């Protein structure tokens, strides 16, 4: 295992681990891709995927829809019911940032209700919005499941669908969020490759980990995302609109008995351009029991976390501030 200094040096010099999914065609290549994914999850909890298989036209249409929505007057965006439109306020406990967002369930029945909201439409046709969003969600869900299955294979888990079946469940509580970080000029230029303060830039979304299983993130070609694989040290992530960025969520850390790391990350509004991102948060059903997989518990590595339901953990998440530690509350 590399030292923290070596990990940090690698992250700076080589950027994040890059996984080429087109290299998984043969069994030998698939095994190597799976090994690299697991290594990235252990060391960073975060990696970049290229040649991911999500069609370009689906991505382009989703970005067009996002910009179209956020360009509307605030009064129209606030009418985006039953969806959750928010501006600057994040959650229910006082967190805020330079961001506006649209948050909703990935359940097809929920998305269908968009037809009753004229503020979420393409050419004044809400059914077009539903079609674009549904196609994008289906594509990134499949990408998430492919990645999760590769993880399970490398971890020698008996049921290689142990992770992916949780987000394939028809009752999955997965969510989807469109984020818009409007232009906010920094007070001074920061050219350092490592940032330890936000003095010159305003926070879009503050430090946090994602509570779900896995996050699939894509953004336009505007920077701002940073990760902290080492406590207190922030590494800027170079944007790449042709790729997806994957990060381990809290539940996956629990299920792998701490082998994978649910990495802290944040977004800074640090340019004169708008940053737009789309995030898929893969989660189990509310009543799903989250437990550490037995293959990852050994006499020398006892189980770190007690069993709990996703509903229980989600309730805890909503009761805390964005950057608060939650997993410690569920340790044995």
């Amino acid at each position: 295992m590399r030292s923290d200094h070596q990990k940090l040096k690698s992250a700076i010099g080589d950027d994040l681990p890059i996984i080429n999914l087109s290299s998984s065609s043969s069994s030998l290549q698939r095994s190597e891709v799976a090994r690299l994914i697991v290594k990235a999850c252990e060391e960073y909890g975060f990696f970049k995927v290229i040649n991911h298989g999500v069609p370009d036209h689906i991505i382009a249409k989703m970005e067009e829809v996002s910009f179209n929505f956020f360009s509307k007057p605030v009064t129209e965006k606030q009418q985006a019911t039953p969806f959750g439109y928010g501006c600057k306020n994040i959650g229910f406990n006082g967190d805020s940032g330079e961001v506006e967002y649209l948050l909703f369930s990935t359940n097809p029945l929920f998305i269908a209700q968009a037809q009753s909201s004229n503020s979420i439409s393409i050419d004044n046709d809400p059914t077009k919005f539903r079609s674009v969003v549904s196609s994008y969600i289906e594509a990134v869900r499949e990408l998430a499941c492919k990645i999760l299955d590769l993880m399970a294979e490398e971890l020698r888990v008996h049921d290689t669908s142990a992770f992916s079946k949780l987000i394939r469940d028809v009752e999955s509580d997965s969510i989807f969020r469109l984020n818009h970080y409007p232009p906010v000029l920094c007070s001074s230029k920061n050219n350092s490759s490592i940032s330890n303060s936000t003095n010159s830039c305003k926070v879009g979304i503050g430090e946090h980990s994602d509570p779900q299983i896995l996050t699939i993130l894509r953004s336009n070609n505007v920077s701002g995302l940073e990760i902290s694989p080492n406590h207190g040290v922030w590494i800027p992530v170079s944007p790449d609109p042709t790729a997806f960025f994957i990060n381990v969520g809290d539940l996956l850390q629990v299920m792998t008995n701490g082998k994978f790391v649910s990495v802290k990350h944040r977004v800074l509004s640090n340019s004169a351009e708008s940053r737009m991102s789309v995030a898929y948060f893969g989660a189990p059903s509310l009543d799903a029991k989250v437990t550490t997989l037995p293959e990852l518990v050994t006499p020398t590595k006892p189980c770190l976390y007690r069993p709990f339901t996703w509903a229980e953990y989600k309730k805890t998440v909503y009761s805390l501030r964005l950057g608060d530690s939650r997993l410690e509350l569920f340790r044995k």
Side-chain angles (χ1 to χ4, degrees):
M1 184 66 68
R2 296 185 303 169
S3 69
D4 287 349
H5 177 74
Q6 289 173 316
K7 291 180 187 178
L8 182 55
K9 183 178 179 181
S10 174
I12 297 167
D14 304 326
D15 208 348
L16 292 172
I18 299 175
I19 306 298
N20 184 351
L21 283 186
S22 69
S23 300
S24 59
S25 53
S26 71
S27 59
L28 184 61
Q29 290 173 323
R30 183 179 178 87
S31 177
E32 176 62 10
V33 169
R35 184 188 71 80
L36 292 173
I37 288 175
V38 167
K39 181 181 178 184
C41 290
E42 290 175 341
E43 296 186 351
Y44 300 99
F46 207 96
F47 57 93
K48 173 179 171 178
V49 168
I50 60 173
N51 295 320
H52 41 70
V54 178
D56 291 342
H57 71 275
I58 289 179
I59 294 172
K61 203 66 181 177
M62 190 67 248
E63 184 168 289
E64 178 187 341
V65 165
S66 301
F67 273 108
N68 178 271
F69 173 76
F70 289 118
S71 67
K72 294 177 180 293
V74 173
T75 52
E76 286 189 37
K77 289 182 283 193
Q78 289 174 335
Q79 296 171 15
T81 55
F83 300 84
Y85 172 72
C87 184
K88 297 198 174 184
N89 293 322
I90 303 169
F92 309 101
N93 300 302
D95 291 295
S96 63
E98 296 296 325
V99 62
E100 59 175 341
Y101 57 88
L102 184 63
L103 178 70
F104 47 93
S105 167
T106 63
N107 188 297
L109 295 178
F110 189 91
I111 297 172
Q113 296 180 54
Q115 295 182 46
S116 65
S117 176
N118 290 326
S119 64
I120 308 180
S121 62
I122 302 174
D123 300 327
N124 295 318
D125 184 353
T127 60
K128 289 185 179 180
F129 176 87
R130 175 192 176 190
S131 175
V132 169
V133 171
S134 296
S135 295
Y136 187 90
I137 288 174
E138 182 179 350
V140 295
R141 181 191 294 118
E142 286 305 308
L143 174 60
C145 289
K146 181 175 183 177
I147 291 169
L148 289 168
D149 287 347
L150 285 165
M151 291 175 181
E153 289 174 21
E154 177 62 18
L155 292 172
R156 305 294 190 266
V157 175
H158 177 69
D159 178 6
T160 55
S161 68
F163 303 133
S164 63
K165 67 184 179 183
L166 294 172
I167 63 175
R168 288 191 188 277
D169 191 321
V170 293
E171 298 297 326
S172 164
D173 191 46
S174 299
I175 57 175
F176 187 64
R177 192 175 70 207
L178 311 181
N179 301 306
H180 174 229
Y181 304 91
V184 179
L185 291 173
C186 298
S187 60
S188 63
K189 185 70 174 177
N190 183 357
N191 293 316
S192 173
S193 61
I194 305 178
S195 171
N196 285 300
S197 92
T198 59
N199 291 337
S200 62
C201 302
K202 292 190 176 180
V203 174
I205 292 182
E207 173 184 349
H208 67 286
S209 64
D210 294 336
Q212 295 87 358
I213 297 172
L214 195 75
T215 302
I216 309 288
L217 176 75
R218 181 201 170 268
S219 76
N220 62 347
N221 199 28
V222 177
S223 63
L225 178 63
E226 297 185 342
I227 67 167
S228 181
N230 301 283
H231 297 295
V233 178
W234 290 97
I235 302 172
V237 178
S238 300
D240 183 351
T242 68
F244 283 93
F245 291 93
I246 317 298
N247 70 273
V248 171
D250 293 350
L251 298 191
L252 196 51
Q253 178 170 324
V254 170
M255 296 179 74
T256 60
N257 204 26
K259 187 176 182 68
F260 290 179
V261 180
S262 181
V263 71
K264 294 281 188 179
H265 52 285
R266 67 184 182 187
V267 178
L268 302 183
S269 297
N270 61 353
S271 78
E273 299 178 89
S274 290
R275 175 180 166 87
M276 189 78 68
S277 69
V278 182
Y280 168 83
F281 303 91
S285 63
L286 288 170
D287 61 358
K289 179 173 281 191
V290 180
T291 60
T292 298
L293 297 179
E295 292 89 343
L296 297 170
V297 178
T298 68
T300 58
K301 182 71 173 182
C303 187
L304 298 176
Y305 304 96
R306 66 174 176 83
F308 54 86
T309 64
W310 168 234
E312 182 184 357
Y313 193 73
K314 186 176 180 180
K315 182 179 179 181
T316 300
V317 170
Y318 283 156
S319 71
L320 301 172
R321 297 290 297 270
L322 188 64
D324 288 344
S325 175
R326 318 146 184 151
L327 283 177
E328 291 300 315
L329 302 176
F330 292 83
R331 278 186 172 267
K332 281 191 171 183

